[in-house]
Amino acid sequence: MDGMSTLILHHFDWSPFAEKARLALGLKRLAWSSVEIPMVMPRPQLMPLTGGYRKTPVLQIGADVYCDTRLIAAELERRFPSPTLFPAGNRGLALALSRWSDTALFEPGAGLSMALATEVPEAVLADRRQFFAFMDFSRLKVDIPHMEGQLRANLELLEAQLADGRAYLLGGDCGWADITAYFPLWMARQFVPALNRVLDANSRTRAWEDRMVSIGHGTRTGISAEAALEAARTASPAPAAGVDPEDPLRLEAGDSVTVTPCDYGKVPVAGELVTLSLTEVAVRRETPETGTVVTHFPRIGYRIDRAA
Ligand SMILES: N[C@@H](CCC(=O)N[C@@H](CS)C(=O)NCC(=O)O)C(=O)O
């Protein structure tokens, strides 16, 4: 792979959402470069690439930057179709399932990790208290039984899905549906040893987890943040997909817009609109550190506003 097309994942090892991206790279048996970012803001060497988007992970390919695991999955699939992340025609269902696992399954797991983890540094807890808008930190300890109840009830859905002996959630092949459902379990086992008992009680899911671990992460090579910025500077963004004239937002290519996550970490990213479709929104930006870059987001879950 040449410098223009090297896959660079900006992440940290403890990030559960990054584990999704690492497993997608693993399922596709890809080689990739790894930039380890700090676990908390500020991230001065990442912000030039994302324009302020502060969630983890981010995938960079030359001067194109893909934010959010949902879009990272779709972009990896577009560039490296085989083996597929969406076996048996399950692109719609698998991507829709991201929403369930990012909320119903992830939120109680994240709450329990915050309440019970012994290894999470205080600086990270302080940062996430501001960041996780969905979590009521004043009730964290009181809500432990509630959160465990929610986690178990959602885990039961996985056990039920695997009850007929199938190897993966949607059949005989592993895909994004499995990866997106698996990452909260990975988080629970990393951070809350007390939850091992809960997880081990579901025998089908337990065996499926082992299959998920065996996917691995592909071939990872560490590089510096400076090298990633250099890769952006020396590359040109891929041709943009263009702006859908039928889109209800009635925007045009070249319009100044902001793109903001709808849920938490709501930092608007400003730029010149280059792509607007049902699957993606992308803006062109310019910084001294990166030259011209295009920062891409999934359409689902992101708000696009005309810049004031
Ligand atoms: N919708 C995003 C969510 C990503 C997310 O919330 N990541 C967590 C880390 S696992 C995060 O950003 N934490 C705060 C941070 O890294 O600054 C995605 O799918 O990528």
Side-chain angles (χ1 to χ4, degrees):
M1 221 177 266
D2 60 36
M4 293 280 285
S5 52
T6 301
L7 302 167
I8 304 174
L9 191 70
H10 298 258
H11 67 136
F12 51 89
D13 284 330
W14 277 10
S15 161
F17 280 89
E19 183 63 11
K20 283 205 233 187
R22 293 185 293 251
L23 286 171
L25 291 159
L27 192 135
K28 290 187 174 289
R29 300 184 207 107
L30 292 167
W32 52 284
S33 298
S34 160
V35 177
E36 294 221 29
I37 62 171
M39 287 182 69
V40 292
M41 295 288 276
R43 298 180 180 127
Q45 289 167 304
L46 181 61
M47 292 305 109
L49 290 161
T50 67
Y53 176 81
R54 66 145 296 181
K55 296 187 190 181
T56 309
V58 169
L59 178 71
Q60 175 194 352
I61 307 176
D64 287 278
V65 181
Y66 300 91
C67 299
D68 198 295
T69 53
R70 194 187 295 250
L71 186 66
I72 291 172
E75 186 60 22
L76 287 176
E77 183 74 6
R78 194 179 71 78
R79 292 184 187 238
F80 309 97
S82 180
T84 181
L85 285 171
F86 307 119
N90 277 314
R91 186 177 81 92
L93 188 56
L95 290 174
L97 203 64
S98 288
R99 174 77 180 163
W100 166 77
S101 70
D102 286 2
T103 55
L105 193 55
F106 174 72
E107 288 177 5
L112 290 167
S113 302
M114 292 288 159
L116 298 171
T118 45
E119 280 187 59
V120 183
E122 184 47 45
V124 175
L125 288 175
D127 179 79
R128 301 306 191 259
R129 273 187 206 108
Q130 308 297 318
F131 175 71
F132 282 139
F134 57 82
M135 226 182 263
D136 182 351
F137 279 87
S138 69
R139 291 192 56 84
L140 217 47
K141 295 281 178 201
V142 193
D143 271 352
I144 288 174
H146 166 69
M147 291 188 292
E148 186 177 327
Q150 289 302 306
L151 184 69
R152 289 167 70 154
N154 281 286
L155 289 173
E156 192 275 330
L157 300 179
L158 298 179
E159 190 69 4
Q161 189 69 11
L162 295 165
D164 63 5
R166 65 183 70 193
Y168 297 99
L169 293 177
L170 301 182
D173 295 308
C174 183
W176 183 250
D178 300 278
I179 291 172
T180 204
Y182 167 72
F183 87 100
L185 283 68
W186 177 90
M187 172 179 67
R189 289 204 188 268
Q190 296 287 311
F191 297 125
V192 197
L195 287 174
N196 285 336
R197 178 185 49 84
V198 170
L199 292 164
D200 288 345
N202 293 340
S203 61
R204 300 270 185 195
T205 310
R206 181 80 199 79
W208 168 78
E209 279 183 78
D210 288 342
R211 289 191 281 280
M212 296 307 294
V213 172
S214 72
I215 294 170
H217 292 160
T219 308
R220 164 178 173 167
T221 308
I223 63 164
S224 66
E226 290 78 14
L229 289 171
E230 170 75 15
R233 257 196 320 273
T234 52
S236 306
V243 174
D244 174 7
E246 301 300 324
D247 191 277
L249 295 179
R250 296 283 180 255
L251 292 164
E252 289 178 13
D255 283 349
S256 292
V257 297
T258 58
V259 184
T260 316
C262 296
D263 49 7
Y264 55 93
K266 296 183 184 183
V267 182
V269 174
E272 184 189 303
L273 188 67
V274 292
T275 297
L276 183 64
S277 72
L278 295 177
T279 55
E280 187 183 326
V281 52
V283 292
R284 181 165 27 224
R285 307 170 30 259
E286 196 86 38
T287 76
E289 297 90 339
T290 59
T292 304
V293 284
V294 171
T295 307
H296 305 247
F297 303 87
R299 183 68 187 267
I300 293 177
Y302 286 77
R303 187 185 169 87
I304 304 147
D305 292 295
R306 226 176 253 286

